[in-house]
Amino acid sequence: MTADFDIIRAAYAELIVRDLAESRRFYVDILGLVVTHEDDEAIYLRAFEEYLHHSLVLRQGPVPALAALAYRVRSQAEVAKAAAHFESLGCSVEHRASGATRGIGEAVRVIDPLGFPVEFFYDADHVERYTRRYDVQGSGAISRLDHFNIFTPDVPAAQAYYESLGFRVSEDIQDEAGTVYASWLYRKATVHDIALTGGGGPRLHHIAFATHERNQIVNICDTLGAYRLSDRIERGPGRHGVSNAFYLYLRDPDGHRVEIYTHDYYTGDPDNPVVTWDVHDNQRRDWWGNPVVPSWYSEGSTVLDLGGSPITITERTETEESEVTIGADGFSYTRKGEAMPEYKLGNQV
Ligand SMILES: O=S(=O)(O)c1ccc(O)c(O)c1
Ligand SMILES: [Fe+2]
């Protein structure tokens, strides 16, 4: 059933972290996110171009996990429509009073058909927008939250669910038999607000923030080196094939994956063409052909149900991308038909 409420964009994530102070050092001291509010239980963070109260909540807890992915809808009236939609699907639905999450008005939080805790809201406190606060922006200034990426076992089914919410596909990765390994879908006019990564789920793969320039991403790497925290860098910097974005993947103190991303492309016209990549194309995930580290394919964050308990993971039944793109047996190519050289093979374990 197609939804009758209008989702605008990916808006905020709530992550459970074990040590607020250590997480604050990573997200504030190193990544430079702005603290809107902090107390003993949680820190509310925003990036420099954001004027809503937060785009990331770090909440103290015993086990690292995703507590919520939140989408902003176009009006407060849409929140009630969202609640009715998920109730009609038989999903768990929690009506949240204004202020249940600091800075957010009346909202609805559901366990969606893919097993994820997802919130829909409109009313939110406005706070100072730091767009021109060059007096406090560091060399790695982050502009805004851009997207979520989730592990889910059945990508076509998850894609159909998100299309029923009005999302459109921008790019995907398939093989010659039509198996879909990953898919990118959007509401705002960029490559994605949500990406679906085939794998055991529900698990969070990553949240992503955008910068304006590539050098800001390189500066974040230099800063991590200066703090002797280069092991926070999991993958990149590099240039994606899918999305064409310049990227960097970090792992926070609890292992949550955070992507810093810039310069994807506009998708706002009704006839925006879908780009489909061959899973054996070694430039699909890194345009320069650099291998994807194994942990990027396998590790993700547990998600919580509305009562705060971890949700059971369902394993993927179709082939895993990391299995079909091992270069050693010629399953990958830079130029179709030519065997891969020995030195740029993916997933060497
Ligand atoms: O690695 S991919 O080029 O497929 C890719 C593209 C866009 C993303 O946001 C991402 O996380 C991964
Ligand atoms: Fe991403």
Side-chain angles (χ1 to χ4, degrees), residues 155 159 171-174 180-184 196-198 285 321:
V155 173
Q159 179 177 307
E171 304 203 24
D172 65 11
I173 298 177
Q174 299 186 30
V180 183
Y181 294 86
S183 177
W184 286 257
L196 310 171
T197 301
R285 287 196 179 276
E321 184 173 346

Side-chain angles (χ1 to χ4, degrees), residues 83-103:
H85 178 75
F86 287 94
E87 281 159 352
S88 73
L89 296 181
C91 297
S92 304
V93 173
E94 175 193 3
H95 295 268
R96 294 171 66 87
S98 180
T101 295
R102 180 181 291 270

Side-chain angles (χ1 to χ4, degrees), residues 147 184 192 206 235 240-243 249 259 261 284-285:
H147 63 266
W184 286 257
H192 56 318
H206 65 266
R235 178 184 165 207
H240 279 319
V242 172
S243 82
Y249 290 96
E259 182 181 17
Y261 170 100
R284 74 196 180 288
R285 287 196 179 276

Side-chain angles (χ1 to χ4, degrees), residues 48-50 128-137:
F48 286 107
E49 283 184 6
E50 295 172 327
E128 183 187 357
R129 199 177 206 173
Y130 272 39
T131 305
R132 281 169 286 280
R133 287 295 306 273
Y134 295 107
D135 54 318
V136 296
Q137 293 186 25

